[in-house]
């Protein structure tokens, strides 16, 4: 599997990444053996980039990922985690987490983008994973915390990077405008962009993608299915878009894109996975993978050749923006 470097850092990511939120019991319980099998299948397929966070299952994702990786040669894979949500004892547990993960709520999340919070979060992650280092650390959803995140958390991460403790630093969010600010105004090397450069939403072309290209920085694309609407060959009413039921107009548009994909001998999910690479600053697409079967499907989607004529056709029909870069600009 191909690898691409994060900006000017020494960190290289495989083009496809393993998103470990779902093995933290996102939306439903995942048996430990299924999580282990998914990670092993990803490894066997050549995936060497694994992304997790304390938020995912109140630490469950980090524990499971660390257990599966810690006996493998450490220099052969890249792990990223996130800071900004400390896990602290929950004084008033109600039995089950209320933020989408099927886990006990003995812990709760506490926002903290201070220097001490960053250092404590990394230390806690290393303890949960059993790893001796993290390769990439992102600020996690700092939407309402710009000042502390930019003035306290990012300088703390930059210090660790400059000391060689971590390899690359950045931020991960569901919006693109603030990610552009992180690239332009802070020491960030990379951003994790969720859902804003997909077949249904190319708004990142207005801010973060031009910033990354101008500055020689990098983008990891996640949420490429926009919560599910782009995950099937034939989109249907009732499917999710950005965590909510998709509006009918978007379902209609997704169906139109699917029909064009079929005319070019491919599928909507395959095109959705490959599309972000149309921009030269996107170095990786990371997908959630709950089971070995999901890993196999995602790897197959990633490997599919998408004819350049598909993107031209979608541009001509107004189904994607006319300024989506062409193949000779993207390098894929």
């Amino acid at each position: 599997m191909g690898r691409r470097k994060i900006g000017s850092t020494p960190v290289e990511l495989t083009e496809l990444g393993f998103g470990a939120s779902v093995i933290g019991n996102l939306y439903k319980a995942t048996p430990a053996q299924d999580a282990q099998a998914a990670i092993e299948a990803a490894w066997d397929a050549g995936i060497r980039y694994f992304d997790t966070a304390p938020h995912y299952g109140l630490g469950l994702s980090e524990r499971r990922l660390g257990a599966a990786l810690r006996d493998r040669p450490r220099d052969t894979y890249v792990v990223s985690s996130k800071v900004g949500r400390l896990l602290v004892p929950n004084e008033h547990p109600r039995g089950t987490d209320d933020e989408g993960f099927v886990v006990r709520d003995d812990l709760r999340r506490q926002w903290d983008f201070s220097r001490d919070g960053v250092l404590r979060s990394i230390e806690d992650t290393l303890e949960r994973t059993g790893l001796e280092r993290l390769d990439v650390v992102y600020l996690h959803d700092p939407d309402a915390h710009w000042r502390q995140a930019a003035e306290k958390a990012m300088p703390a991460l930059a210090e660790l990077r400059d000391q060689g403790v971590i390899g690359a630093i950045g931020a991960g969010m569901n919006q693109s405008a603030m990610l552009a600010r992180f690239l332009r105004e802070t020491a960030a090397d990379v951003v994790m962009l969720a859902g804003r450069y997909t077949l249904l939403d190319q708004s990142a072309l207005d801010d973060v993608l031009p910033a990354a290209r101008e500055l020689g920085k990098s983008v990891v694309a996640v949420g490429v299915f926009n919560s599910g609407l782009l995950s099937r060959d034939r989109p249907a009413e009732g499917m999710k878009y950005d965590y909510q039921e998709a509006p009918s107009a978007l379902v209609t548009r997704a169906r139109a894109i699917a029909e064009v994909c079929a005319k070019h001998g491919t599928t909507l999910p395959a095109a959705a996975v490959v599309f972000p690479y149309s921009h030269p600053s996107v170095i990786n697409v990371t997908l959630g993978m709950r089971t070995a079967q999901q890993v196999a499907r995602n790897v197959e989607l990633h490997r599919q050749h998408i004819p350049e004529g598909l993107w031209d056709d979608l541009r001509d029909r107004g189904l994607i923006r006319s300024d989506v870069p062409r193949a000779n600009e993207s390098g894929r």
Side-chain angles (χ1 to χ4, degrees):
M1 185 174 293
R3 295 174 183 250
R4 300 190 188 189
K5 185 180 288 189
I6 295 178
S8 60
T9 78
V11 181
E12 289 186 338
L13 308 184
T14 49
E15 290 183 345
L16 186 63
F18 183 100
S21 62
V22 288
I23 65 168
N25 287 2
L26 180 62
Y27 303 138
K28 65 180 182 179
T30 301
Q33 61 269 26
D34 287 359
Q36 175 76 24
I39 297 166
E40 291 178 355
W43 186 275
D44 292 343
I47 294 172
R48 294 295 183 272
Y49 173 49
F50 301 85
D51 175 70
T52 185
H55 171 55
Y56 303 154
L58 294 171
L60 178 62
S61 171
E62 291 185 321
R63 292 195 298 272
R64 285 178 163 176
L65 185 63
L69 292 177
R70 67 175 62 125
D71 291 332
R72 301 183 186 273
R74 185 61 186 88
D75 291 337
T76 62
Y77 62 90
V78 171
V79 171
S80 60
S81 192
K82 306 178 182 77
V83 298
R85 290 176 172 94
L86 287 173
L87 301 184
V88 300
N90 187 355
E91 301 88 346
H92 305 288
R94 304 177 72 174
T96 304
D97 178 53
D98 61 359
E99 293 199 29
F101 295 89
V102 184
V103 294
R104 290 184 56 82
D105 63 344
D106 299 323
L107 300 173
R108 63 176 177 86
R109 302 160 183 86
Q110 177 176 289
W111 290 104
D112 192 336
F113 288 96
S114 69
R115 174 185 172 81
D116 288 346
V118 165
L119 298 178
R120 177 180 164 187
S121 183
I122 292 173
E123 182 179 353
D124 289 348
T125 289
L126 293 177
E127 182 177 349
R128 284 190 291 268
T129 59
L131 302 175
E132 72 273 15
R133 73 170 191 273
L134 295 173
D135 302 288
V136 185
V137 177
Y138 300 104
L139 308 182
H140 200 182
D141 297 333
D143 303 68
H145 308 272
W146 163 260
R147 184 167 182 177
Q148 189 180 47
E151 296 180 3
K152 302 297 182 181
M154 194 61 78
L157 291 181
E159 184 178 331
L160 294 175
R161 179 196 59 194
D162 295 344
Q163 293 171 352
V165 177
I166 53 182
I169 62 175
M173 305 175 71
N174 288 288
Q175 60 154 298
S176 60
M178 190 179 287
L179 289 181
R181 291 191 66 187
F182 276 110
L183 290 182
R184 292 191 181 280
E185 301 177 34
T186 78
D189 305 300
V190 59
V191 292
M192 179 169 276
L193 174 68
R196 304 285 73 84
Y197 192 58
T198 73
L199 285 173
L200 289 174
D201 184 340
Q202 295 104 54
S203 56
L205 286 169
D206 296 327
D207 38 48
V208 69
L209 289 173
R213 191 167 193 178
E214 174 188 336
L215 299 169
K217 297 184 177 184
S218 299
V219 176
V220 168
V222 299
V224 300
F225 296 133
N226 283 123
S227 301
L229 185 54
L230 297 174
S231 66
R232 297 182 190 172
D233 293 4
R234 182 69 178 171
E237 296 288 345
M239 296 182 71
K240 300 294 185 183
Y241 177 83
D242 283 359
Y243 312 108
Q244 299 177 3
E245 185 170 330
S248 294
L250 274 181
V251 176
T252 299
R253 187 167 158 225
R255 286 174 177 167
I257 296 172
E259 290 173 0
V260 179
C261 289
K263 291 179 180 178
H264 287 268
T266 188
T267 66
L268 181 63
V273 170
V274 174
F275 173 77
Y277 299 110
S278 64
H279 196 281
S281 295
V282 175
I283 62 169
N284 167 278
V285 169
T286 288
L287 303 174
M289 306 193 196
R290 191 185 299 271
T291 65
Q293 292 74 23
Q294 287 187 3
V295 172
R297 178 177 187 261
N298 289 336
V299 170
E300 175 59 28
L301 293 174
H302 172 263
R303 288 175 176 168
Q304 286 193 29
H305 170 71
I306 306 296
E308 177 63 15
L310 170 62
W311 313 128
D312 292 336
D313 204 350
L314 291 174
R315 288 188 196 93
D316 292 343
R317 295 169 185 260
L319 292 171
I320 61 173
R321 286 173 45 159
S322 61
D323 54 347
V324 169
R326 298 179 184 273
N328 59 351
E329 300 175 271
S330 69
R332 181 178 169 100

